[in-house]
Amino acid sequence: MLRALIFDVDGTLAETEEAHRAAFNQAFADLDLHWRWDRPLYRDLLGVAGGKERLRAFLDHQDPGDASDALIADLHRRKTAHYTAAVARGAVPFRPGVATLIAQALAAGVTLAIATTTSRVNVEALFAGNGDAPPLAAFAAVMTAEDAPAKKPDPQVYHRALLALGLPPADCLAIEDSVNGLRAARAAGIPTLVTESVYTAGDNFTGALAVRTDLSRIGLDAIRCLHAGGGA
Ligand code: XBP
Ligand code: MG
């Protein structure tokens, strides 16, 4: 029986990665660094979950051995400041169907949780910028990069969410947008619905219960049916 929905954040609750990409580029400009992440490069870099890990992967490729932890920490701090300022102003709306599904789950007594590799302040800013949607306080568990340092596809953040919920994976359903996220949720034993995002459309989502463009045409009843083994 479906007792909890566990949402990914970036690309799932909202199409945030363009705002992340812009914030990374603003951080590079802050330090007069010549780097600029365009969309094709960022799509490749998104194969690495976690902003700091993504910076490390990029810098190790650019200037092997030259990327200091201090530089990465400074860039990520600046990037997070740019990102939170943008999304807290409402720059990034929730994706179609997300607020409706959250409200349906709350009304039906289905527990809500978040399992993301992004930073907690980014989640708080996203909800602050979407004041017309149910609040972050409606989520029984919010697991972020600070709770789970091992980033997706490592299942750590989903294990932390299951522990916080006190539920077995089979009673939950994860909603993800990326292959890393799908792999993390499946490694934790959680049935997973994928809603493709702008940066993940067309990827190989083998192992997903179902793949949808977004949540606008799949409400809680259809998700319950999917979870129970029926189609939807
Ligand atoms: C997506 C990520 C995050 C963001 C950047 O997280 O991998 O790293 O791209 O945010 P998810 P940070 O899809 O699991 O929500 O810079 O805070 O990591
Ligand atoms: Mg995601």
Side-chain angles (χ1 to χ4, degrees):
M1 171 187 153
L2 178 65
R3 298 170 62 190
L5 291 177
I6 307 176
F7 285 89
D8 165 54
V9 173
D10 294 302
T12 299
L13 285 183
E15 288 284 11
T16 55
E17 291 298 352
E18 272 301 89
H20 281 298
R21 183 175 71 89
F24 278 113
N25 287 329
Q26 287 170 291
F28 298 147
D30 287 350
L31 297 184
D32 293 325
L33 295 170
H34 63 282
W35 302 311
R36 188 185 174 282
W37 290 356
D38 62 17
R39 287 187 176 87
L41 172 59
Y42 195 62
R43 181 171 180 126
D44 291 342
L45 290 169
L46 276 172
V48 178
K52 288 180 187 161
E53 293 81 354
R54 196 167 303 141
L55 283 167
R56 163 66 65 192
F58 172 74
L59 297 189
D60 283 352
H61 178 72
Q62 283 291 112
D63 305 311
D66 188 32
S68 71
D69 289 342
L71 173 60
I72 288 172
D74 187 18
L75 281 169
H76 194 254
R77 182 180 52 75
R78 291 170 182 272
K79 172 263 175 183
T80 300
H82 288 304
Y83 175 82
T84 52
V87 298
R89 283 197 303 268
V92 186
F94 278 2
R95 292 186 64 185
V98 166
T100 301
L101 178 58
I102 292 172
Q104 287 175 341
L106 289 171
V110 174
T111 301
L112 295 169
I114 278 173
T116 176
T117 56
T118 198
S119 314
R120 183 171 296 274
V121 289
N122 292 348
V123 181
E124 292 166 349
L126 181 63
F127 276 82
N130 283 275
D132 52 342
L136 184 58
F139 289 72
V142 178
M143 296 294 135
T144 67
E146 292 82 357
D147 303 294
K151 301 290 170 53
K152 300 172 183 176
D154 188 294
Q156 188 181 60
V157 70
Y158 277 106
H159 284 149
R160 293 286 159 82
L162 290 170
L163 197 61
L165 293 173
L167 291 174
D171 289 359
C172 303
L173 182 130
I175 303 178
E176 272 282 355
D177 74 301
S178 68
V179 172
N180 276 340
L182 170 62
R183 287 171 57 198
R186 295 303 298 131
I190 304 171
T192 304
L193 166 64
V194 168
T195 53
E196 295 177 300
S197 60
V198 291
Y199 276 110
T200 68
D203 286 354
N204 180 352
F205 294 113
T206 301
L209 262 185
V211 180
R212 293 290 183 276
T213 305
D214 60 38
L215 292 171
S216 60
R217 287 198 296 274
I218 179 167
L220 184 60
D221 289 343
I223 286 176
R224 276 192 164 127
C225 188
L226 257 183
H227 184 262

